[in-house]
Amino acid sequence: MGKVIVVTSGKGGVGKTTSTANLGTALALLGKSVVLIDADVGLRNLDIVMGLESRVVYTSMDVIEKQCELNKALVRDRRVDGLMLLAASQKNNKDDMQPEQMKAICDKLRTTYDFTLVDSPAGIERGFRNASAGADEAIVVTTPDVSAIRDADRIIGLLQNVEVEPINLVINRFSPQLVGNGSMMDQADVLDILNIDLIGVVPEDSGVITSTNRGIPLVYEDGSPGAQAYMRIARRLTGQRIPIPDLEQKGLLSSIVNWFTKKK
Amino acid sequence: MNLSIKQLFGRKPKSSNIAKQRLKLVITQDRVDVDDRFMTRLHHELAEVLAKYFEFSANSVKMNLKQEGNSYILVADFPYTKFHDMSMRR
């Protein structure tokens, strides 16, 4: 029996879709069978971030309306074994789907695939409820800023109400330099506020922009710090125990640099 | 420990510390607000139990969650008009 994990955040633009694409690809690279579901009905993007936009024929809405079988609606990613995408309908909206319908899709996929990752839309309304309806576990993505963390706290409360457990936190767009000079909250600060388990810290990486431009997830670029962080999170999802490295830039040299480049 | 030169000279505090403190305050408030539905349910269930023991008028009841330091305190006022005679009830 596989796991269904909803990737969510509350606030938009913190990296849910990027994280879903990279964690899904990373899990497939580790030999797991994976389905990625875009739950952002009406504002679909996971297909284009994955570079699979030209191959989408059917969507989850077609499956719900019984226009096609679930297996037929899955787009196979040819770059790696065992990775599939279930796209969202672009012409419908979130109210056209019921949480039970999404749950039925997740329940089916769970029996065949090791991991089903559901990319949730931003917000706490219907789209989020659809995305989390079939989830066993959750990954909450946040960035180390006040608005993303506040929204993450709200989402965590809602997930706890419906007994999605465990809820793991990914801190995205972490800047070692800004943390080093005190301009950004560090992981201990974020965890102190949100009080859930941390599964990984992804450093700010301009490679995310170029990889999204190309439709090739960052994890294919071995050397990039973002790719390495996503690979570590994927390994942790498979149960491997890998310590979370401290990315903060400290030490005498950076202290001197910080002193000369004073930040407010 | 990790004080910058600026802090040693009493200049501006780190903005990350300000962010953390502001967040802690606002999230505490958010959590209490979100608990409104929970409070309504608790109110009804408490009233049901207490009604077995004494009489009170439902609209005189006041319930609040208060925060003191790191902990919450539930304050419930049920002004009663009279006790039921429990010896008669068995």
Side-chain angles (χ1 to χ4, degrees), chain A residues 64-83:
Chain A
I64 287 165
E65 290 170 349
K66 301 205 161 48
Q67 302 293 314
C68 101
E69 288 291 309
L70 177 56
N71 282 334
K72 215 177 144 195
L74 302 178
V75 178
R76 179 180 294 280
D77 188 329
R78 297 191 185 117
R79 295 165 294 194
V80 56
D81 280 341
L83 181 58

Side-chain angles (χ1 to χ4, degrees), chain A residues 92-104:
Chain A
N92 292 82
N93 67 54
K94 275 132 190 124
D95 294 330
D96 296 333
M97 190 185 273
Q98 306 289 328
E100 304 77 48
Q101 294 170 325
M102 178 62 96
K103 185 174 183 299

Side-chain angles (χ1 to χ4, degrees), chain A residues 44 46-57 85 215:
Chain A
R44 88 179 192 208
L46 186 55
D47 56 335
I48 195 165
V49 170
M50 289 293 293
L52 298 172
E53 70 277 13
S54 63
R55 306 210 8 245
V56 174
V57 181
L85 168 74

Side-chain angles (χ1 to χ4, degrees), chain B residues 13-14 16-17 19 23 28 31-32 38 40 47 49 52 54 58 63 66 70 75-76 81 84-89:
Chain B
K14 289 178 178 177
S16 62
N17 288 339
L23 262 174
T28 306
R31 285 176 186 167
V32 173
F38 159 84
T40 312
V49 174
K52 291 180 192 166
F54 53 84
M63 276 178 56
K66 287 183 182 169
N70 281 330
V75 184
T81 43
H84 294 308
D85 187 347
M86 296 307 289
S87 59
M88 301 292 286
R89 290 203 126 201

Side-chain angles (χ1 to χ4, degrees), chain A residues 10-21:
Chain A
K11 186 177 177 298
V14 298
K16 284 181 297 296
T17 303
T18 304
S19 295
T20 307

